[in-house]
Amino acid sequence: HYESTTQVPGSFARFERGVERLRSAGVPLLMKCPISTLSSDHVDALVQWCTERSLPFKADPVIDARHDGGQQPTLYRIEPRRVLALRDHLYELRNGRRRPAGPLPECAVRGEASEIDELYTCGAGRIAFFVDALGNASHCVIDREPAFPILEMPWDQLWSEMGAWVTQPLPDNAACSGCTLRGGCSNCPARARLATGSPFLKDQYQCDLTHAI
């Protein structure tokens, strides 16, 4: 099944050899696997493989579009309600008990009028940034606009302009303006740009996923 996804014969054996070499060298490992329609029925086997090797495991159902705007990868997304069931199943596999339920507030509930929503609510451009092979720095590995030439711009100017981009107020007419779930929603401006071409719109799948969870 691994190779039906990678489309590379012999890749699973090479993967296992690589993992064993890292373990032998004492390198701490966290196994991460995107869960798609191709692998959702193998979650038990994935967890068992990691458990047998005493490796922590993290599953991620978020499948993003391509940087060039191509939406082909999103065809393999799991529908939001199935993601909820998958999350609960993973919790039960890890902890031996059912996940406790907890309601979330409605997205339509707006925050205080005095609060200013910033475009980015994560640490992008605040505590970390990304540099590509050509020396272009951007606030996020997913959203690479705007980009700044790190070898040509003074550092203080680059950091200031990057910070100004991520902390700009979210427009009142933006799709997610006033949403009380923005801080924990996977529909960030980076994924919104991949899905729609604009960081001010939203990827409806990510919004539905947050409500389902």
Side-chain angles (χ1 to χ4, degrees):
H1 188 78
Y2 181 97
E3 293 178 9
S4 69
T5 300
T6 65
Q7 298 291 299
V8 179
S11 56
F12 184 66
R14 292 199 295 273
F15 161 75
E16 288 197 304
R17 286 198 299 271
V19 168
E20 289 308 313
R21 288 174 180 173
L22 290 170
R23 293 179 67 209
S24 298
V27 177
L29 294 177
L30 169 63
M31 308 308 294
K32 297 178 66 176
C33 179
I35 305 299
S36 67
T37 55
L38 300 176
S39 57
S40 61
D41 58 339
H42 286 69
V43 169
D44 288 43
L46 290 169
V47 173
Q48 181 181 351
W49 189 92
C50 293
T51 301
E52 289 172 350
R53 293 161 178 79
S54 300
L55 293 171
F57 173 73
K58 182 178 180 181
D60 189 353
V62 177
I63 306 294
D64 291 316
R66 295 176 4 185
H67 282 287
D68 63 4
Q71 300 296 310
Q72 295 91 329
T74 66
L75 297 175
Y76 302 100
R77 284 173 168 173
I78 303 171
E79 62 178 340
R81 292 188 183 277
R82 286 188 60 205
V83 171
L84 176 60
L86 175 64
R87 182 202 65 172
D88 292 343
H89 183 55
L90 280 168
Y91 185 93
E92 200 166 341
L93 287 174
R94 291 183 181 128
N95 301 283
R97 64 182 187 277
R98 299 188 66 177
R99 184 183 183 93
L104 288 174
E106 284 297 321
C107 184
V109 177
R110 298 183 67 86
E112 294 296 328
S114 60
E115 295 178 357
I116 299 178
D117 281 340
E118 295 179 344
L119 179 60
Y120 272 82
T121 60
C122 65
R126 293 182 174 88
I127 62 173
F129 63 97
F130 170 76
V131 182
D132 68 15
L134 300 177
N136 296 308
S138 56
H139 55 285
C140 174
V141 66
I142 299 177
D143 186 9
R144 303 182 187 181
E145 297 180 32
F148 308 93
I150 196 169
L151 297 179
E152 300 173 16
M153 287 183 69
W155 168 252
D156 289 345
Q157 178 187 355
L158 185 154
W159 191 243
S160 175
E161 292 188 19
M162 186 181 294
W165 169 257
V166 299
T167 59
Q168 66 177 291
L170 187 69
D172 290 338
N173 62 350
C176 301
S177 177
C179 176
T180 60
L181 302 185
R182 285 194 70 227
C185 182
S186 56
N187 180 58
C188 66
R191 290 194 164 106
R193 193 196 294 271
L194 288 181
T196 70
S198 170
F200 304 110
L201 299 177
K202 68 178 178 181
D203 182 341
Q204 189 60 51
Y205 174 83
Q206 305 293 351
C207 181
D208 292 344
L209 185 60
T210 298
H211 278 282
I213 293 177

